[in-house]
Amino acid sequence: MALTIAGFDPSSGAGVTADLSVFAAHGIFGTAAITATTIQSTTGVAAVRAGDPAWVQRTLEHISTDLPAAGVKVGMVATDAIVRAVAEFLQTVPGRVPVVYDPVIRSSSGYELLDPGALRRIHAEFLPLVTWVTPNWMELSVLSGVRVRSIEDVDRAADALGKLHPGLYIVATGGDQEEPVDFLRAPGGAVQTFRGERVETTSTHGTGCAFSAALLSRLILGDAPAKAVANAKSYVTEALRSAPGLGQGRGPLNLLWPLRAGRRGNY
């Protein structure tokens, strides 16, 4: 069982509904707590309404009492108060349970999805409770304070972030770059790169959500860290390759492709 804590995207390309599809594709039952609602489509984000932190916290307490998760994925947290509520919940999660954070900071259309004032609390109270973080280059730059414009910068920024949070697995995703290379820094500083293929498609809405949810799924299924990254990357690549081409902008991925192929996460 997996829990996603994230925003609601009515187009289902990202957020909780996309995460639940990824979990299902891996044969994992998913539960959810919604941190914010948005007005968006494949053409971009039009508006965001953050949720009530007390409601988010009550949801998490109630669902976890009845349906405790084997893994937690955190996406959009929106505000400082919601970061605090989620951090308080994570303090109750057993240490063996993987927690994957996809740092949703800005939409691909440029809409700000995280209050700037929340970053201090993310470092002070939230990231110490997280086991994995999956930023793209822009998000890694914000989290680390190191400007990222090249793969060499990624190495320095991941090292800086890892020194701030020594127990953290950091996966810097490069799928939006010309050469799609993902960069894994393990606790202790060991580094591994994962080269992928560029899939020419406009259906790229929610790739970060899909990767982080797939990574969590693979960890729940028992993959070792490097294998989990490789399998999550393979899953997203095929989801891009077989995307249905919906919408007038950046369309959704084919998140359920393993089910349609009769493989249910075995790829």
Side-chain angles (χ1 to χ4, degrees):
M1 193 177 309
L3 166 65
T4 172
I5 306 169
F8 174 69
D9 168 8
S11 71
S12 289
V16 294
T17 50
D19 290 343
L20 294 173
S21 290
V22 175
F23 298 157
H26 289 81
I28 296 171
F29 182 80
T31 59
I34 295 175
T35 57
T37 56
T38 68
I39 298 174
Q40 66 175 299
S41 66
T42 65
T43 61
V45 178
V48 174
R49 177 176 291 175
D52 176 0
W55 191 267
V56 173
Q57 188 166 26
R58 185 178 174 189
T59 299
L60 291 169
E61 291 172 352
H62 194 75
I63 196 70
S64 63
T65 299
D66 183 45
L67 299 166
V72 179
K73 183 232 164 155
V74 183
M76 180 181 176
V77 286
T79 68
D80 180 75
I82 293 175
V83 172
R84 182 173 62 243
V86 175
E88 289 179 3
F89 165 72
L90 292 180
Q91 290 175 3
T92 70
V93 173
R96 68 180 183 280
V97 172
V99 179
V100 176
Y101 174 44
D102 175 26
V104 177
I105 294 173
R106 185 181 304 126
S107 74
S108 57
S109 59
Y111 202 102
E112 297 295 334
L113 300 175
L114 177 69
D115 289 349
L119 194 59
R120 184 187 299 269
R121 193 179 301 276
I122 284 174
H123 278 292
E125 299 179 19
F126 178 73
L127 283 177
L129 303 170
V130 168
T131 48
W132 289 77
V133 63
T134 62
N136 61 26
W137 285 19
M138 178 276 293
E139 294 158 349
L140 178 61
S141 181
V142 172
L143 289 176
S144 68
V146 176
R147 189 173 185 182
V148 177
R149 294 192 296 182
S150 69
I151 195 66
E152 291 77 21
D153 294 339
V154 170
D155 193 351
R156 290 195 297 273
D159 191 58
L161 182 59
K163 287 176 179 176
L164 286 173
H165 303 285
L168 199 58
Y169 283 91
I170 301 164
V171 186
T173 60
D176 57 343
Q177 303 300 314
E178 188 62 32
E179 185 179 2
V181 178
D182 290 353
F183 181 100
L184 169 63
R185 184 192 188 276
V191 168
Q192 191 168 348
T193 57
F194 301 80
R195 298 188 179 275
E197 62 176 285
R198 172 153 296 283
V199 178
E200 296 301 329
T201 178
T202 58
S203 298
T204 57
H205 181 47
T207 50
C209 291
F211 176 80
S212 56
L215 175 63
L216 178 65
S217 298
R218 298 308 315 185
L219 293 169
I220 291 172
L221 292 172
D223 284 1
K227 186 67 171 176
V229 174
N231 277 335
K233 190 173 179 68
S234 294
Y235 165 81
V236 172
T237 299
E238 182 56 32
L240 287 165
R241 186 184 293 114
S242 60
L246 303 176
Q248 301 176 50
R250 296 179 182 270
L253 282 62
N254 180 12
L255 298 176
L256 295 175
W257 72 261
L259 300 182
R260 291 164 180 156
R263 295 162 73 179
R264 206 174 73 165
N266 298 314
Y267 39 83

